[in-house]
Amino acid sequence: MNQEVSSNGYSAKLSRRLLLFWCFFIGIGAVWGSLCMFIDPTGKTFGFDVFFEGFRRLPFYDLYSGLFQNLIFPGISLLIVNGISNLVAAVLMLKKKHIGIILGMVFGITLMLWITIQFVIFPLNPLSVSYFIFGLLQFITGYVCLVRTAQEGYQVSRNDYFNIKNRSDTLVVYFSRVGYTKKLAYDKADELHAEIYEIQPEEQIKGVAGFWWCGRFGMHRWAMPIKKCKKDLSRYKKVVICTPVWVFSLASPVREFCKEEAGKIKHVEYVINHFEYMSWKSVAKEMDQLLGVKGENTVSVTTHMGKVKRLASVS
């Protein structure tokens, strides 16, 4: 089966392991802290008695002061909010449940909110600041893990398309780093009973390192070296170019393709794939200028982690 997996599996595994570490680290720490509160609700044994003075700084303390006469209620809260929650997320991830990743990310936010309350009790103490940073890192790791896992599982199979031809008067050209634009191109070629051609960069574009390397090209609006096109574009009645948007601009390999194939295309259409809810007419305009021909139709597609959110004609 001819498939393209959208991301380097190693990066997804690494982010999962990091998120698993944060869930266990924060969860076990919270369980230990709550056990200390249960063992000695007065807090004197473990030096937690200083909490009682801080509790009085909480808003509307008089309304619920009875809950803070000892450390039982704070211990239960700590156990549920940061202890059991994170350990459950960790177990779900070990069982390869997708919800575990989502919960791990959410519990990073929960920890930051918990520490914000601690800032009221103990303003800007080093321990609370450290755990706020831990919560932020847990959230970031969870988000990266969520994205990488979605990309890792995104596949496009040539075997799923029966109408793509080896010989046709219509050609669909595409560049795709992680596979999303590839699927759009295959869908279009299947719809038009067209041939399909992939723009192949000479640069390394896969994985996390490839993401940042491509970002460098995108930020500077540079053209990226590509392998010479093996198709004679002048023989096709219509060419459809499918491109992602890089750093608010045309993807660098497609920019180089348009430069090299300028003047050879008779009729052209565009499919522009992007994350933001924008039409990106500027990308179509740049391709018009590079190719020396006016695009007859432009379709703007908003894709979030492989799911098409909007599909609209913008010309």
Side-chain angles (χ1 to χ4, degrees):
M1 183 177 291
N2 181 22
Q3 293 180 328
E4 175 182 301
V5 179
S6 66
S7 71
N8 190 327
Y10 176 77
S11 61
K13 290 179 181 178
L14 177 61
S15 61
R16 283 196 293 270
R17 289 170 182 170
L18 288 174
L19 182 59
L20 194 62
F21 163 77
W22 285 120
C23 288
F24 272 124
F25 176 77
I26 294 168
I28 292 172
V31 170
W32 170 248
S34 62
L35 285 176
C36 291
M37 294 180 183
F38 298 152
I39 292 170
D40 182 10
T42 68
K44 294 179 180 179
T45 302
F46 301 98
F48 291 170
D49 51 328
V50 296
F51 288 173
F52 294 107
E53 182 179 349
F55 290 150
R56 296 187 179 91
R57 299 192 186 100
L58 291 171
F60 310 108
Y61 173 75
D62 293 339
L63 297 177
Y64 45 80
S65 59
L67 296 173
F68 296 98
Q69 298 307 305
N70 56 49
L71 296 178
I72 296 298
F73 176 74
I76 294 173
S77 300
L78 178 61
L79 179 64
I80 294 174
V81 175
N82 292 315
I84 294 175
S85 58
N86 276 283
L87 294 179
V88 168
V91 170
L92 289 171
M93 279 191 286
L94 288 174
K95 291 185 175 182
K96 302 187 183 304
K97 302 293 185 181
H98 186 68
I99 187 64
I101 299 173
I102 297 174
L103 291 176
M105 179 181 68
V106 171
F107 293 149
I109 300 175
T110 303
L111 177 58
M112 287 189 285
L113 293 174
W114 179 275
I115 297 301
T116 300
I117 297 174
Q118 283 196 5
F119 284 146
V120 177
I121 301 173
F122 303 109
L124 293 178
N125 64 90
L127 184 62
S128 295
V129 171
S130 297
Y131 269 86
F132 186 89
I133 294 173
F134 294 160
L136 178 61
L137 291 174
Q138 181 180 2
F139 167 73
I140 293 173
T141 304
Y143 178 75
V144 171
C145 184
L146 193 66
V147 172
R148 289 297 173 188
T149 301
Q151 291 181 336
E152 185 183 40
Y154 192 80
Q155 299 179 341
V156 181
S157 173
R158 174 67 175 82
N159 296 340
D160 294 333
Y161 297 90
F162 304 103
N163 297 321
I164 297 177
K165 305 298 183 181
N166 293 323
R167 187 75 176 177
S168 172
D169 60 4
T170 302
L171 176 68
V172 175
V173 177
Y174 76 94
F175 164 75
S176 182
R177 195 184 75 86
V178 296
Y180 299 155
T181 307
K182 178 177 181 177
K183 184 177 187 309
L184 296 174
Y186 272 60
D187 289 344
K188 193 68 175 178
D190 195 64
E191 173 192 340
L192 298 175
H193 294 240
E195 293 180 42
I196 195 161
Y197 175 76
E198 179 182 8
I199 299 171
Q200 299 182 5
E202 298 283 3
E203 303 283 339
Q204 174 55 252
I205 63 171
K206 298 298 183 182
V208 176
F211 170 80
W212 292 109
W213 188 245
C214 292
R216 177 172 176 264
F217 277 82
M219 181 175 62
H220 292 286
R221 307 293 192 267
W222 293 339
M224 181 179 284
I226 61 174
K227 295 181 180 179
K228 184 174 179 58
C229 181
K230 298 179 180 179
K231 300 284 187 179
D232 178 10
L233 273 66
S234 62
R235 80 169 187 81
Y236 295 96
K237 291 182 179 179
K238 180 169 67 174
V239 175
V240 181
I241 299 177
C242 303
T243 178
V245 172
W246 280 8
V247 197
F248 311 109
S249 184
L250 177 64
S252 298
V254 181
R255 180 179 287 114
E256 178 63 24
F257 174 85
C258 291
K259 287 182 178 179
E260 292 184 4
E261 304 302 322
K264 299 179 183 179
I265 299 175
K266 302 181 182 72
H267 302 279
V268 67
E269 296 181 4
Y270 307 125
V271 176
I272 302 174
N273 186 28
H274 49 89
F275 186 85
E276 302 82 3
Y277 286 98
M278 298 173 63
S279 63
W280 290 109
K281 292 182 180 180
S282 59
V283 172
K285 184 177 180 180
E286 181 179 357
M287 286 191 283
D288 284 347
Q289 293 172 343
L290 291 171
L291 291 169
V293 62
K294 174 68 175 176
E296 297 175 359
N297 185 53
T298 300
V299 175
S300 180
V301 181
T302 299
T303 307
H304 292 174
M305 289 192 288
K307 297 180 179 179
V308 175
K309 300 292 184 179
R310 186 180 63 171
L311 182 60
S313 177
V314 297
S315 65

